[in-house]
Amino acid sequence: PALAQRAARRRCWLSRILQARRRASAGGPTYMLIADKHRLENQTKVKLLAIRETELELYVQNCRQVGFVAAIIGGLAYFSFLYTKRDYYQEAHWFARVLYVTGLTCTMSLALTIVLATTTIAMLGPGLALRGPDGSMNTAVDGILLEFELASRLFSRCVQALMLTALAYFYLHHTGYWSTPLLLTALLYGLHRMMARRIEVVESTFPLKAIPLISGAFFAPTGGGAR
């Protein structure tokens, strides 16, 4: 009787094992499809993350270049205050002197603002992308893009302030003949219009607009359409 009970238990265990194997083999293709789906999702996320990382490096490099040029312009504006000690500045009309100092002050202030903004972006943006929670790469890239748009517009205003300073410098050397200052003013105005036109063409050709957020998921969080 004991041997018969052991044999019955063995047959029961074997039948259970065979049933479990049959169930696993029957559901195998479904499990494989789910695994393939997760694998494709992970691969897509990794590829999209690599693209966003390339964008991050591009925008950070652009911010550094703009900040470098702005620092040079700010230094030029700072050293231009030395010309206020010249005799022609002291003898010039008060309006020309005020315009010259105002232009230099605006140029230097805008340049320092751009340097501070671009330096902060280059320091904090990659840190958020690397150490932030999930989705921080998209947040960092879109935020850097918005700040870079603002820095670009400030850089345009900085160049305009520098041109205003150059206009005031023309009139500091005014000695009674209006032909030379007026000719230089017309030349400077033409250059300003040409620069503004070129900026419009470049902005329309290469718009700096934040792209829509792409998470890499195949479906929306609510189970809606594909993304």
Side-chain angles (χ1 to χ4, degrees), residues 77 82 150 161 207 218:
L82 297 175
L150 179 60
F218 286 92

Side-chain angles (χ1 to χ4, degrees), residues 167 170-171 180-190:
L167 178 63
F170 294 158
Y171 285 94
T180 302
L182 291 177
L183 180 61
L184 294 176
T185 302
L187 177 62
L188 194 62
Y189 178 77

Side-chain angles (χ1 to χ4, degrees), residues 96-112:
R97 289 184 292 175
V98 170
L99 187 63
Y100 181 74
V101 175
T102 303
L104 288 179
T105 304
C106 292
T107 302
M108 186 173 61
S109 300
L110 290 172
L112 291 177

Side-chain angles (χ1 to χ4, degrees), residues 134 141 159:
D134 190 17
V141 173
V159 174

Side-chain angles (χ1 to χ4, degrees), residues 64-94:
R64 289 174 180 172
Q65 292 178 357
V66 172
F68 177 74
V69 177
I72 294 177
I73 294 177
L76 179 63
Y78 175 77
F79 284 106
S80 296
F81 279 104
L82 297 175
Y83 291 102
T84 57
K85 302 295 183 179
R86 302 285 182 172
D87 294 335
Y88 60 81
Y89 178 84
Q90 301 295 333
E91 297 174 358
H93 193 269
W94 67 269

